[in-house]
Amino acid sequence: MDTASAMRRGDSDAVGGDHPGLMTLYSSPSCLHSHRTRMVLAEKNIAIDVIDVEGDRLPEDLLDLNPYHSVPTLVDRELVLYDSRVIIDYLDERFPHPPLMPVDPLARAQFRLALYRIERDWYTLAMQLQESDDRKQLAQARKQLQESITGSSELFAVKPFFLSDEFSLVDCSIAPVLWRLPLFGIELKASLKPIHRYMDRLFARRSFQDSLTEREREMRQ
Ligand SMILES: N[C@@H](CCC(=O)N[C@@H](CS)C(=O)NCC(=O)O)C(=O)O
């Protein structure tokens, strides 16, 4: 996240980090879980102190705060949260405007299920593509992710955002995976128009642009 948006003042009155009054997010500049969290923060225009950390060189205070030693980790006064899903749900409830989940219980359940499937299927494969050294595993993960995204293309024809007229936590979770496709060596066919249009819409969004780190910008240059 660029410094300007990271330090933009929202309605947080929390005390944390080096900037009294701000929450703190420990975030990796290339991790997709951190990316979806930064996107929610940008969408809600939340002021926060973002500390960039690398997976293999985590600061001492983070090691003390989070037993799983993972990013993203959010600190809001006494509250320490880890796991990006827990964090984005908290942010959506703590900063309700704009809402990023539907109100209707049935729609909420469908969106939660979509989040579960994105994490279980796409995030698992994306993490393998980002971290594995095993060529066979890489090739298999690349093929599976490409097929899975291609198979979902028509879902993106229904509404401007994922099964919705409103932008949601599901879109915040899908965008980091789609942004990394060139990095993963995946090229979607030009004939998959709904998903290309969806990507164009997401990537042009102000919050998406604000959420990008330098490292992430370079992924599509
Ligand atoms: N389920 C976690 C996964 C987070 C995760 O795997 N983060 C990676 C970076 S993308 C990490 O912190 N790796 C360092 C480690 O696990 O030691 C979440 O959603 O936050």
Side-chain angles (χ1 to χ4, degrees):
M1 180 179 285
D2 65 81
T3 313
S5 57
M7 298 309 300
R8 202 184 296 128
R9 284 209 162 256
D11 53 356
S12 167
D13 57 357
V15 178
D18 293 335
H19 304 92
L22 292 184
M23 297 188 294
T24 301
L25 180 75
Y26 293 88
S27 157
S28 152
S30 56
C31 146
L32 74 158
H33 303 90
S34 299
H35 192 178
R36 74 163 161 174
T37 310
R38 283 184 262 111
M39 198 166 171
V40 173
L41 289 164
E43 189 67 31
K44 290 173 177 281
N45 203 17
I46 298 170
I48 190 154
D49 192 4
V50 178
I51 300 179
D52 283 340
V53 301
E54 299 292 346
D56 51 352
R57 280 180 281 121
L58 299 180
E60 281 294 322
D61 48 351
L62 178 56
L63 299 180
D64 291 340
L65 289 167
N66 174 345
Y68 301 104
H69 301 174
S70 63
V71 284
T73 297
L74 180 88
V75 182
D76 186 3
R77 298 192 207 210
E78 303 304 312
L79 179 69
V80 179
L81 295 178
Y82 29 84
D83 192 275
S84 54
R85 182 63 199 287
V86 173
I87 296 173
I88 62 176
D89 282 343
Y90 172 70
L91 291 172
D92 195 37
E93 288 172 5
R94 167 99 160 77
F95 302 90
H97 302 290
L100 295 180
M101 283 290 274
V103 178
D104 170 58
L106 193 134
R108 280 176 85 82
Q110 283 170 334
F111 277 44
R112 286 204 194 97
L113 190 64
L115 286 167
Y116 173 74
R117 295 200 62 186
I118 290 158
E119 287 157 17
R120 190 167 166 141
D121 298 343
W122 291 5
Y123 275 40
T124 304
L125 293 168
M127 286 301 280
Q128 285 172 18
L129 287 163
Q130 235 169 317
E131 294 188 341
S132 175
D133 294 328
D134 181 321
R135 280 179 52 194
K136 209 170 148 192
Q137 190 186 36
L138 281 171
Q140 204 171 20
R142 188 176 298 118
K143 182 168 178 285
Q144 282 179 8
L145 186 58
Q146 174 144 20
E147 285 174 359
S148 178
I149 294 173
T150 300
S152 312
S153 182
E154 284 308 310
L155 280 180
F156 297 96
V158 182
K159 299 265 183 174
F161 299 109
F162 184 82
L163 299 184
S164 173
D165 290 318
E166 311 296 334
F167 182 83
S168 79
L169 291 184
V170 181
D171 303 297
C172 290
S173 302
I174 294 174
V177 177
L178 297 180
W179 182 256
R180 284 161 174 73
L181 293 182
L183 180 76
F184 298 154
I186 294 177
E187 200 175 336
L188 297 178
K189 284 190 190 140
S191 58
L192 299 170
K193 289 202 168 44
I195 194 146
H196 282 289
R197 288 199 199 102
Y198 174 74
M199 284 197 279
D200 290 346
R201 254 193 312 278
L202 283 191
F203 300 161
R205 205 170 169 87
R206 168 96 192 264
S207 64
F208 184 81
Q209 287 297 321
D210 284 350
S211 75
L212 289 171
T213 62
E214 277 311 304
R215 192 90 65 80
E216 285 161 346
R217 272 182 209 288
E218 286 163 11
M219 291 174 185
R220 274 186 178 257
Q221 271 165 10

